[in-house]
Amino acid sequence: MISLFKQAVALCALSVVCATVQAQQYPSRAITLIVPFGAGGNNDVSGRIIAERMGELLGQPVVVENRSGAAGAIGATAVARAKNDGYTLGFLSSGPLAANPGLYKSLPYDSVKDFSPVARTTTSPGVLVVHPTVPASNLKELVAYLKANPGKVNYGTSGAGSSPHLSAVLFESLADVRMTHIPYKGGSQVNADLLSGEIQLSFSPILEVVPHIKAGKLKAIAVTSARRSPLLPEVPAVAEMFPGYEVITWNGVVAPAGTPPDVIAKLNAAVAGAVNAPEVKAKLLQLGLEAAPSSPQEFEAFISSEIGNFNRLIKLAGVEPQ
């Protein structure tokens, strides 16, 4: 009996040593970074920029693999079901991780239980823009105009429950104004109709509208982040007039649940090193993205908080889960 006990202790000790050696040797081969959206989009491009620098820091290539579909759920599910050895990661955004739990009755993954957060990478605000015919050049004037014309201003979004829609709903609630929602199937048509004057207002992704703002084709009223954006430093935040207002999109790296803490620590250091690199920061800013690295614990708390925020806004918007 004593001999068996000693053998069991020895085996346990050996397994701990093996796990430690494995963690020290990690990574010993290429790492796959799953992006749950198609090639060429902002998520894909930023993911590849960060992956390249991560690979340099880790000494092994980080290869991006696109698994698009179902509002990011297909890619997120692939990450959740992967082996938790640190060789399959996800570059997931606020959509799959925070918005989807409130937009869909059932998902094949749990945003909290099925992932080990590694680090947040970037955040990005929207911009409240109006057509030049709208007689308002700042937030105070716009609110006054909307109050005087309830329901007469049309705003476009990329669909019910999208970040632009939720941004508008929160704005209406805090400013006590009423607008008319015009949902589209994508952001490109929103911008086209806004530029033509078919609709008068939108809460658009910052990268999509900066060129039109600088060309004088649209008026920038405010950004949706809690503070001003480096891309439009002269444009105030909505929160400057309505404290507590914030609706942003964000990205981060996650691993399958149960990935060893030592591996998570190495990956976190690589993500931080990547997004803090001056050349990477500059490239991300060109995409409308601000570097915002975090610890694994901070990212875990942030995801939980954002799930609650998106759930609250989805209910406020009256969007029924599909």
Side-chain angles (χ1 to χ4, degrees):
M1 181 66 74
I2 294 175
S3 177
L4 285 174
F5 176 75
K6 287 182 177 179
Q7 288 179 19
V9 170
L11 285 172
C12 286
L14 182 62
S15 66
V16 170
V17 171
C18 287
T20 303
V21 170
Q22 259 188 333
Q24 289 172 346
Q25 292 177 340
Y26 174 87
S28 59
R29 54 186 170 88
I31 297 167
T32 297
L33 181 66
I34 293 177
V35 174
F37 299 101
N42 225 17
N43 286 278
D44 175 65
V45 174
S46 59
R48 290 177 188 276
I49 291 170
I50 293 168
E52 182 178 9
R53 184 64 174 154
M54 282 180 65
E56 294 170 3
L57 293 170
L58 289 167
Q60 293 289 346
V62 178
V63 182
V64 170
E65 180 180 317
N66 298 95
R67 296 273 195 99
S68 60
I74 289 176
T77 302
V79 178
R81 294 177 179 173
K83 190 175 179 180
N84 57 2
D85 56 4
Y87 289 98
T88 301
L89 308 173
F91 189 66
L92 304 188
S93 64
S94 47
L97 282 176
N100 280 1
L103 291 172
Y104 298 95
K105 292 178 181 177
S106 63
L107 287 171
Y109 62 90
D110 186 298
S111 293
V112 174
K113 296 178 181 178
D114 290 342
F115 303 106
S116 290
V118 174
R120 187 180 55 198
T121 54
T122 59
T123 61
S124 183
V127 188
L128 167 51
V129 288
V130 298
H131 189 267
T133 56
V134 175
S137 298
N138 56 55
L139 197 54
K140 185 177 180 180
E141 292 175 356
L142 178 62
V143 170
Y145 179 72
L146 293 173
K147 284 182 179 293
N149 297 275
K152 293 182 181 179
V153 171
N154 295 331
Y155 73 92
T157 74
S158 50
S162 63
S163 287
H165 182 213
L166 301 181
S167 299
V169 167
L170 181 58
F171 174 71
E172 286 181 303
S173 175
L174 293 178
D176 192 24
V177 296
R178 183 164 56 85
M179 303 179 289
T180 298
H181 180 209
I182 310 295
Y184 291 82
K185 291 184 178 179
S188 59
Q189 191 58 49
V190 174
N191 293 329
D193 281 6
L194 181 60
L195 289 167
S196 70
E198 187 71 22
I199 56 175
Q200 294 79 49
L201 184 150
S202 76
F203 287 77
S204 295
I206 193 166
L207 186 65
E208 293 181 6
V209 291
V210 164
H212 304 308
I213 293 167
K214 292 186 175 179
K217 295 178 180 179
L218 295 174
K219 290 190 286 187
I221 302 298
V223 294
T224 65
S225 46
R227 55 183 175 80
R228 299 189 183 201
S229 167
L231 276 178
L232 294 170
E234 72 285 357
V235 177
V238 175
E240 292 178 32
M241 185 170 177
F242 299 105
Y245 181 98
E246 183 180 29
V247 183
I248 57 173
T249 56
W250 45 267
N251 281 84
V253 176
V254 300
T259 300
D262 287 350
V263 171
I264 295 294
K266 282 191 175 183
L267 289 169
N268 178 266
V271 172
V275 298
N276 282 325
E279 67 277 15
V280 172
K281 270 188 175 181
K283 289 178 181 178
L284 293 173
L285 195 57
Q286 289 176 352
L287 296 171
L289 307 171
E290 298 177 39
S294 69
S295 70
Q297 295 77 18
E298 289 168 340
F299 191 33
E300 182 177 27
F302 179 75
I303 291 170
S304 294
S305 173
E306 283 290 274
I307 290 172
N309 288 338
F310 274 92
N311 266 328
R312 178 172 57 87
L313 292 175
I314 287 165
K315 288 177 182 177
L316 185 64
V319 178
E320 290 294 329
Q322 298 178 14

